[in-house]
Amino acid sequence: MAFQLVLPDSKSVSQAPSPLAYAVDRTFFYAAAAGALAIILLVIYILWEIGGQALPAIGRSGASVLVNTQWDVQNSSFGILPQIWGTLYSSLMALLIGGFIGVSIAIFLTQDFLPHSLATVFRTLIEMLAAIPSVVFGLWGIFVVIPFVRPAADWLHDAAGFIPFFSTSLSGPGMLPAVIVLSIMILPTVAAISQDAIGLVPYKIKEAAYGLGATRWEAILKVILPTASGGISSALVLGFGRALGETMALAMLIGNANQISLSLFSPATTLAALLASNFPEAGAIERQALMYAALVLLAITLVVNVAGTLILLWTSRKMAKA
Amino acid sequence: MTNASVLEKPTATAGAAIDCNIDKIYYGKFLAVRDSNIAIEKGKITGFIGPSGCGKSTVLRSLNRMNDLIKGFKLEGNVHFHGQEIYDKGVDPVVVRRHIGMVFQQPNPFSMSIFDNVAFGLKLNRFKGDVEERVQHALTRAALWDEVKDKLKASGLSLSGGQQQRLCIARAVATQPSVLLMDEPCSALDPIATRRVEELMLELKNDYTIALVTHNMQQARRVADITAFFSVDISQGGRTGHLVEVGPTDQIFDAPQEKLTKQYIGGEFS
Amino acid sequence: MAFEASPATPAMAIPSGSDGKPPSLGYNSFEPRALWNLILTLGLWAVAALGATPLLSVLYMLIVKGGARLNGELFTELPPAGFEMGGGIGNAIQGTLVTVAIASLISIPIALFAAIYLAELRPLSRISSVARFLAKVLTGFPSILAGVFVYAAVVLLMGSYSALAGGVALAVLMLPTITLTAEGAMHMVPQRMKDAAIGMGCTNTQVVWSVTLPTALPSIVTGIILAVARVAGESAPLLFTALFSNYWLRNITEPTASLSILIYNFSSMPFDNQIELAWAASLVLVMIVLGFNILSRFIGRPQV
């Protein structure tokens, strides 16, 4: 197999790789290909396992699980509408708060509001936030956030209880503490991707804005943010995706109550919290229903994440052309 | 009209190290080079000149199959190296590159010590002899020894641009390949460093066969024994490079046969 | 309309309406756009301060509440039951280290090989683009689903919860992250360096080993450390794979405790002793995670 070049002069030390080198090269290639294939097979295997385990539940109750509101193990009646509602509602609220703060911080750190060295310190602080484990946030939420927001929540309920958001009182765990902690958890994701997106805005565009006599905020709001809007939207979508899949902090803070309410102060539940709290003790039938819930969660996050990734890809291509 | 020189069939010169008969080079659907037949003669420097986009680098890089790395690359024709077709099915490009060394446009030392950079090729070829002596020899050939002999352990990246390029030349000649391809080796260098590299090429010529792509006509005139002039036709939205004329350097510069060559040498386009 | 009509008319800027005077170029803080500028800037400072508060609060609580129990007993004792006093989190630290080690052993080799394939060997092939896309999707994958998957694939198969299953679940989370960061790191190696190796007649393997990997190594190690740090804090995938245990781990086929599950379990207990241990465990966990993060910053610094 080793091909040899025959040369008239033999002064050169050049020679073909040894048979061993060829064998190593080939083995190495196949090992690397196997690694890449492993990722593809893993995804297929995940879908196959979760889908396969959920199949009996899908066959038994079909789409009715999606609209049923009861999770009744005794009667084997399983519905996950409250969980779907809770997942979407908590994530959306967290996106509103965490997204706003995250984008603001991205502006704060990229538009010379701080001297360079301080900006680095602040950026590190925000990045550290991403490193705090979810369960630690849960613990902090129980012992810091809930006692802290309770007086305000009670006051709001008394004064403005007619507004649906404040229609119940906060008795401990509930939607609001969960949303607050969730906002904090997605904030670093949003801030980091938004900073990258703003960093991609060509300097000449900023220069052009200032050259026209724009103030700092006119340049930011009317030129820089619109130019970076693609990247910022993908930051928001990916932050939303992160919120959807978040489990532990929510399981610890949201109260795990099977109900649908607009109120920020009432306990609620999410798909991930349902899995976390019911899976370990579930019997065979309930486990199939839980697998169904897992599949729904997978589908929702998949759609959101694919959308976010595509937006990111699309905008970076657009930026590369510009 | 531009095809005139192609009509004279490439003579398989006895002294040719590489005999290159390229009919067409494609990148995907894009025809990058056509009809370029050159013999790279042994022990001589063959300079490739021409306007940018004329395919001179593409042709050079197809002589040691570096173009295989580019997706969609396809070559019609053949390239013989000491009588062996390097695009034959059984030929391993890795082996071809070990015999036909290359120096690139940008100096590209590895991020390892100066010594290891030069010894790299020796290790690659499982050289059994005295590595240190070879490294010293190569660095001396590359006119770099005196500057680095006291800091062989320093990173190759710590050198200046001109020194880095000479290091890359030392690295390429350490294994004494039979041919050295140099792709605009001076384009990133200042005039003084350029001059040193040119002197080096003239000196290396005694032992090596060199093919040199240069954007600088004067450089070709100074160092090349044989000059090949490439040009580009711009048609149907595509740019296709091709060889116009090849001959002894004096003849190309003083008495070019082709009108296009005359115009280019005369500075009518670039 | 890209910009507000700028007050080019000097009417506002020039107090005396005298004609012929040049427009004032000084600051005018009461002009609406200057006022807006000020309000927005103050607002931004407030929001930024708000964003930084939680971290400070979390760190404060960890140090005050968790620090109180930071002693030798914490690392050597087993968790207390019910009304017991004292106790430690020794087996949880052990369990976290073991599951993370198992996850690293499984995921790092596969991820590095995959990254080499994606970045170096066949970057444009169909397999690579599909694998790259799926890896990106997997990084956004809710971590609890890794637990659900491993429950079905490993726990049911082995017939019991185990440290091994927990490790596999964490490996599922590490694999795509390490693959993508390692691929990125290899991409950052300048093509001209790889060209140099190829031009000398290196085989693919030799190019990767002698040029790409050594050059990209600091960034790859950074990526690995960050992935390890991230999974060390994960709890959702361990809930029903590694489960929990009140005893020391003797065999990786047994269920094991972990710091994160201990915090989860103890946070809902009505005993002060357990709550204090939950804070202490949080402090240890955060120190491990932040320690890895800081380590990665030192390694990741470009070294020339």
Side-chain angles (χ1 to χ4, degrees), chain B residues 74-118:
Chain B
K74 202 169 94 213
L75 180 136
E76 287 175 13
N78 54 60
V79 178
H80 288 286
F81 174 56
H82 289 290
Q84 294 158 88
E85 164 59 27
I86 66 166
Y87 282 90
D88 258 350
K89 232 188 177 154
V91 172
D92 183 349
V94 166
V95 181
V96 172
R97 294 179 200 130
R98 291 189 181 187
H99 289 281
I100 306 176
M102 186 149 194
V103 176
F104 297 80
Q105 234 182 72
Q106 298 278 337
N108 52 3
F110 300 127
S111 58
M112 42 178 93
S113 71
I114 293 169
F115 183 90
D116 288 344
N117 261 288
V118 183

Side-chain angles (χ1 to χ4, degrees), chain A residues 112-150:
Chain A
D112 308 325
F113 284 91
L114 284 178
H116 184 72
S117 54
L118 277 182
T120 311
V121 171
F122 197 93
R123 188 174 293 123
T124 313
L125 278 183
I126 298 297
E127 283 167 8
M128 269 171 81
L129 210 50
I132 304 281
S134 157
V135 57
V136 175
F137 272 122
L139 189 68
W140 176 74
I142 294 175
F143 292 100
V144 177
V145 175
I146 292 179
F148 182 76
V149 297
R150 218 159 152 182

Side-chain angles (χ1 to χ4, degrees), chain A residues 1 3-9 11-19 21-22, chain B residues 81-82 84 90-92 94-95 98-99 122 125-127 134 175-177 207:
Chain A
M1 164 188 66
F3 154 82
Q4 295 290 335
L5 273 170
V6 189
L7 287 179
D9 54 345
K11 200 175 56 180
S12 163
V13 305
S14 302
Q15 53 174 309
S18 67
Y22 274 116
Chain B
F81 174 56
H82 289 290
Q84 294 158 88
V91 172
D92 183 349
V94 166
V95 181
R98 291 189 181 187
H99 289 281
L122 297 172
N125 288 294
R126 305 186 302 286
F127 176 67
R134 280 279 182 149
T175 57
Q176 304 189 329
D207 298 312

Side-chain angles (χ1 to χ4, degrees), chain C residues 184-194 211-213 215-216:
Chain C
M186 292 182 207
H187 259 303
M188 300 303 284
V189 177
Q191 183 60 41
R192 59 200 174 92
M193 279 199 189
K194 299 175 198 164
V211 175
T212 314
L213 275 184
T215 315

Side-chain angles (χ1 to χ4, degrees), chain B residues 64-80:
Chain B
N64 72 342
R65 297 193 57 175
M66 276 306 277
N67 277 331
D68 287 24
L69 304 179
I70 293 163
K71 198 178 150 85
F73 166 76
K74 202 169 94 213
L75 180 136
E76 287 175 13
N78 54 60
V79 178
H80 288 286

Side-chain angles (χ1 to χ4, degrees), chain A residues 87 90-91 94-95 182 186 238-247 250:
Chain A
T87 303
S90 61
S91 300
L95 182 65
L182 205 49
I186 67 168
L238 292 173
F240 186 59
R242 166 122 208 252
L244 288 172
E246 179 43 49
T247 310
L250 284 175

Side-chain angles (χ1 to χ4, degrees), chain A residues 244-262:
Chain A
L244 288 172
E246 179 43 49
T247 310
M248 299 314 283
L250 284 175
M252 292 163 84
L253 291 170
I254 204 164
N256 297 319
N258 216 10
Q259 57 180 3
I260 299 177
S261 165
L262 261 183

Side-chain angles (χ1 to χ4, degrees), chain C:
Chain C
M1 193 215 65
F3 292 95
E4 279 165 21
S6 64
T9 38
M12 266 167 58
I14 296 176
S16 70
S18 57
D19 289 358
K21 264 190 162 181
S24 155
L25 293 178
Y27 284 106
N28 185 342
S29 335
F30 296 101
E31 192 196 321
R33 59 194 273 180
L35 217 55
W36 264 116
N37 233 351
L38 186 70
I39 293 170
L40 285 170
T41 302
L42 288 179
L44 189 69
W45 275 91
V47 172
L50 187 67
T53 320
L55 180 75
L56 301 178
S57 168
V58 169
L59 292 180
Y60 172 80
M61 291 298 284
L62 286 176
I63 291 164
V64 170
K65 295 253 186 180
R69 286 293 287 264
L70 206 57
N71 51 32
E73 198 189 7
L74 186 75
F75 297 94
T76 53
E77 296 289 312
L78 289 174
F83 288 100
E84 274 176 27
M85 293 313 289
I89 55 171
N91 65 337
I93 296 175
Q94 178 205 23
T96 292
L97 296 180
V98 170
T99 41
V100 170
I102 294 172
S104 306
L105 283 178
I106 298 172
S107 63
I108 293 173
I110 302 179
L112 288 186
F113 274 123
I116 289 167
Y117 190 83
L118 298 188
E120 287 290 301
L121 299 180
R122 294 284 182 280
L124 301 170
S125 72
R126 164 105 14 118
I127 290 182
S128 290
S129 46
V130 173
R132 198 176 290 124
F133 180 77
L134 289 180
K136 273 182 196 146
V137 171
L138 263 184
T139 51
F141 185 77
S143 60
I144 192 161
L145 291 182
V148 172
F149 160 68
V150 171
Y151 177 84
V154 179
V155 175
L156 287 183
L157 199 73
M158 286 178 49
S160 82
Y161 301 104
S162 64
L164 182 64
V168 174
L170 296 182
V172 170
L173 296 176
M174 285 174 77
L175 178 63
T177 341
I178 299 182
T179 306
L180 292 176
T181 48
E183 191 209 352
M186 292 182 207
H187 259 303
M188 300 303 284
V189 177
Q191 183 60 41
R192 59 200 174 92
M193 279 199 189
K194 299 175 198 164
D195 276 352
I198 296 163
M200 302 196 68
C202 285
T203 61
N204 281 328
T205 316
Q206 288 163 333
V207 175
V208 170
W209 276 111
S210 55
V211 175
T212 314
L213 275 184
T215 315
L217 199 63
S219 319
I220 294 176
V221 173
T222 305
I224 290 176
I225 293 176
L226 286 178
V228 167
R230 189 194 142 203
V231 300
E234 277 290 351
S235 32
L238 298 177
L239 267 176
F240 32 87
T241 52
L243 207 71
F244 192 73
S245 154
N246 283 312
Y247 306 101
W248 293 99
L249 177 69
R250 310 212 174 275
N251 190 322
I252 58 164
T253 55
E254 293 168 2
T256 179
S258 57
L259 284 169
S260 49
I261 302 294
L262 180 131
I263 298 166
Y264 177 63
N265 288 348
F266 280 12
S267 72
S268 58
M269 286 194 179
F271 309 113
D272 285 344
N273 185 31
Q274 269 80 353
I275 304 281
E276 280 171 21
L277 279 178
W279 279 111
S282 298
L283 179 63
V284 172
L285 186 57
V286 168
M287 285 199 305
I288 293 176
V289 173
L290 286 185
F292 276 126
N293 271 284
I294 292 166
L295 188 66
S296 76
R297 269 164 211 266
F298 278 111
I299 293 175
R301 286 225 177 105
Q303 307 153 330
V304 179

